[in-house]
Amino acid sequence: MNREHWDAVVVGSGFGGSTVALKLAQAGVRVLVLERGRYVDRDDSAWDSRTIQIDRKYQSKTPYEVDERWGRETTYPDDAVGGKSVFYGAASFRMRAEDFELGSRFDPDDIGPVPHMDWPITYEELEPYYSEAEQEIGVAGVRGADPNEPFRSADYPAKPPPYGSTAKLIAKAANKLGLKPFPLPLAINFEESAGRTKCQMCMTCDLFPCKVCAKNDLAVTLLPKAEKLGATVRAKTIVKRLIKSEGRISKIECIDTDSGQETEISCDLCVVSCGAIASAALLLASGLDEVRHGGNLIGRYLMRHCSGIVIGIFPFKTNPERLFHKQIAITDFYFGHPKRGPKGPWGMIQALQTPPPEFVRETAPYPQPVGFLGAKTLPYHAYLLCIAEDLPNIENRVEIDRQRLDSFGSPIGQVYHKYYKRDLLARQALFREAARILRKAHSIVRVRLPIHTYSHALGTTRFGTDPQHSVLDPTCRFHGLSNLYVVDAGFMPTSAGVNPSLTIAANGLRVGKYIADNWDDAINRGAM
């Protein structure tokens, strides 16, 4: 077995891991980033639907099981250097100030005893890091266009392109209903910049890597910057276990996925950022659930948003130019509606890119003829994504099955999740409003499709001030372990109603700065 030592080891290269690594590298810390995926190929395969979506070129070798209505199902996510940013749709929203104080906005009669939901930090504390994340990642948006936009201290670094045909269609209909649609803030390079190819406005963005590196994923933006400052990124490396000794993480056991070579890495600081599901599974596999403070809540309070799609089918082609059309956002119902239920916040509506026909044919959740017909009529479709906030529930969780191991000898994660009735009512309310917009736009058929994926998994290592109700402290340090931090979406005690990527990045910058500014305390403070 190989042995080596680093000042800091970051497990995972997604929004949390990349931002922490950047801050540590800027401070001169000798940092190693471990990533189970590989670098994606920036060739024609990047935009090929069969290769990416059906044959699953970047399918993970470390699956987990989910508990759905039709039984247990094994799920294989996509893995890559840059994490989920390589495959996401680039939507980059800030949470609202009110999202940080959610507990007071719900009646126990609606959901039963209200779980701890308030954040240990405020929006005002995170706001400078939101601005920094937008600059570092390169978000294109229009300041002040969002009717519910929270305070911002800086403008977006770039502007979005003009609306295409589909966006114009949706925006016109929404305006007729008295709504305030606005350009969706996107981490895409729409403008010429030094050394970068601008977006070609293709129709392969959601779920695809970008062939020309115009999508500002972390393998294109933050990680190269961190590497220039001295950070090392090691791809195709599975972390099997964290080894605890005397109130701290002393070693990390990992394995090269190609050679099978095992390595034991000692470190002064350990940062885990594998994603809410994988991080919880790793912490449980490492026995950290036995830590007196915080350990018993590892994997608990899993959230994933209560989302769905409303498809409008029109008597005319909605995107005759066949160009990128994920451009519109609508937040008028973010905080709910004064006259229509349910009470409390609902979430948001945004445009979604029409999927490729081969993907619809082979993955549509209907008998094959319907999938075939859906693929044939795609030029006449418009999609609206509804992201409803789901509330934290201690019974929604990630566990591990120590009797079932993956090909690298790690226990397989098991996911259990059910929505509150109130979550489903919020999605139903957004479905209704999205359907009204599509009807006003002259669609002749509207189809509602719930989403059952865990692409927005959140909340399995929530942070807070009280170890009885949280796994991490307000700096995202693990309660009871002096040098372990967790900075992916698991830290979030509530889900809000927006894509979590920008919030994860902002928090990673915040935690990374704290560690860099307080290095001795960050690695040496005794167990709590």
Side-chain angles (χ1 to χ4, degrees):
M1 177 182 289
N2 291 336
R3 289 179 172 81
E4 52 188 275
H5 178 84
W6 290 79
D7 295 342
V9 175
V10 178
V11 184
S13 62
F15 285 102
S18 292
T19 48
V20 170
L22 176 62
K23 284 296 185 184
L24 296 182
Q26 288 173 335
V29 175
R30 187 167 170 265
V31 57
L32 171 66
V33 179
L34 301 176
E35 169 56 53
R36 64 186 178 185
R38 67 178 180 90
Y39 288 92
V40 298
D41 299 320
R42 308 286 179 168
D43 57 17
D44 289 345
S45 71
W47 288 348
D48 182 77
S49 179
R50 176 158 295 279
T51 300
I52 301 301
Q53 296 180 313
I54 300 170
D55 296 340
R56 300 290 306 284
K57 182 176 183 178
Y58 301 104
Q59 178 176 288
S60 177
K61 298 178 181 179
T62 53
Y64 58 88
E65 285 188 346
V66 298
D67 186 22
E68 292 290 357
R69 292 173 299 175
W70 48 84
R72 301 295 294 169
E73 181 178 295
T74 302
T75 296
Y76 292 83
D78 288 321
D79 288 340
V81 173
K84 297 300 182 288
S85 73
V86 176
F87 306 102
Y88 85 138
S92 302
F93 275 95
R94 299 181 178 206
M95 290 171 53
R96 318 288 127 143
E98 294 87 345
D99 290 326
F100 291 73
E101 299 176 350
L102 196 61
S104 61
R105 296 161 60 199
F106 287 93
D107 188 333
D109 291 338
D110 291 336
I111 61 172
V114 178
H116 287 73
M117 292 194 285
D118 290 351
W119 289 47
I121 62 173
T122 64
Y123 171 81
E124 288 72 23
E125 291 175 83
L126 196 58
E127 194 283 329
Y129 301 102
Y130 271 127
S131 294
E132 184 178 358
E134 289 167 345
Q135 296 293 324
E136 291 285 0
I137 297 172
V139 179
V142 178
R143 183 176 188 173
D146 181 348
N148 290 314
E149 182 179 66
F151 165 77
R152 54 185 308 125
S153 58
D155 201 350
Y156 288 102
K159 301 296 182 186
Y163 288 161
S165 296
T166 307
K168 289 178 180 177
L169 178 71
I170 299 302
K172 183 178 180 180
N175 282 324
K176 286 182 178 179
L177 292 171
L179 306 177
K180 301 178 178 64
F182 61 95
L184 183 68
L186 295 163
I188 296 176
N189 184 41
F190 291 114
E191 302 172 349
E192 296 286 356
S193 60
R196 293 284 309 281
T197 302
K198 73 174 183 177
C199 176
Q200 298 183 15
M201 302 297 287
C202 74
M203 294 177 64
T204 49
C205 200
D206 276 323
L207 305 179
F208 291 86
C210 183
K211 174 183 173 180
V212 299
C213 298
K215 181 161 63 176
N216 297 333
D217 68 63
L218 302 169
V220 172
T221 53
L222 269 68
L223 285 172
K225 186 173 181 179
E227 289 179 292
K228 287 181 180 179
L229 293 168
T232 296
V233 178
R234 187 175 297 171
K236 297 188 285 187
T237 302
I238 296 284
V239 173
K240 294 182 63 177
R241 190 163 69 103
L242 310 178
I243 300 175
K244 176 175 67 70
S245 176
E246 298 180 353
R248 57 190 292 109
I249 300 301
S250 58
K251 296 175 184 177
I252 299 169
E253 292 181 352
C254 54
I255 182 170
D256 184 284
T257 60
D258 282 348
S259 67
Q261 175 66 52
E262 295 188 2
T263 302
E264 185 180 86
I265 303 172
S266 59
C267 59
D268 297 321
L269 178 85
C270 178
V271 178
V272 171
S273 185
C274 313
I277 293 174
S279 285
L282 174 60
L283 298 178
L284 291 170
S286 302
L288 300 191
D289 52 321
E290 299 175 1
V291 174
R292 183 167 61 90
H293 293 301
N296 64 313
L297 290 180
I298 294 173
R300 296 285 176 167
Y301 294 106
L302 171 69
M303 298 166 286
R304 57 170 170 170
H305 285 141
C306 189
S307 301
I309 302 168
V310 181
I311 304 172
I313 304 177
F314 291 78
F316 51 84
K317 290 185 177 181
T318 56
N319 183 23
E321 305 90 355
R322 292 189 54 77
L323 293 175
F324 177 83
H325 53 278
K326 181 180 174 177
Q327 295 180 293
I328 287 285
I330 297 167
T331 61
D332 297 77
F333 308 104
Y334 193 84
F335 298 114
H337 192 282
K339 296 181 180 179
R340 296 195 287 270
K343 290 184 279 186
W346 294 357
M348 68 168 296
I349 300 170
Q350 67 175 55
L352 190 65
Q353 194 135 319
T354 304
E358 55 270 25
F359 178 74
V360 174
R361 276 196 298 270
E362 299 210 16
T363 64
Y366 295 105
Q368 185 62 25
V370 177
F372 176 79
L373 290 173
K376 284 291 187 182
T377 60
L378 276 176
Y380 303 89
H381 290 191
Y383 284 47
L384 290 179
L385 171 65
C386 300
I387 303 177
E389 177 167 12
D390 60 330
L391 301 180
N393 182 342
I394 194 169
E395 295 302 320
N396 290 336
R397 65 198 185 276
V398 176
E399 298 179 348
I400 57 172
D401 185 347
R402 297 185 183 275
Q403 305 305 312
R404 298 188 59 212
L405 307 179
D406 63 21
S407 56
F408 300 101
S410 297
I412 291 179
Q414 296 185 308
V415 176
Y416 300 89
H417 183 278
K418 290 184 179 179
Y419 290 116
Y420 283 113
K421 180 180 178 181
R422 197 263 168 207
D423 303 334
L424 298 170
L425 289 174
R427 179 172 66 188
Q428 182 178 328
L430 289 173
F431 273 166
R432 180 183 64 236
E433 301 303 334
R436 289 179 68 228
I437 295 168
L438 291 169
R439 186 183 302 113
K440 180 63 71 172
H442 304 299
S443 65
I444 54 176
V445 177
R446 289 158 295 281
V447 181
R448 305 180 183 193
L449 297 177
I451 292 176
H452 298 289
T453 69
Y454 286 84
S455 57
H456 287 186
L458 310 150
T460 56
T461 53
R462 54 178 14 214
F463 73 160
T465 56
D466 185 351
Q468 297 299 316
H469 301 289
S470 58
V471 177
L472 313 173
D473 75 8
T475 67
C476 289
R477 189 200 310 251
F478 194 102
H479 289 304
L481 294 174
S482 62
N483 68 336
L484 174 62
Y485 294 76
V486 184
V487 294
D488 51 40
F491 89 96
M492 297 174 65
T494 57
S495 69
V498 296
N499 182 301
S501 58
L502 193 69
T503 298
I504 302 166
N507 183 64
L509 292 170
R510 179 186 72 93
V511 174
K513 184 178 187 303
Y514 168 80
I515 295 172
D517 290 348
N518 302 274
W519 178 256
D520 290 341
D521 174 71
I523 66 173
N524 290 323
R525 190 172 73 176
M528 297 171 60

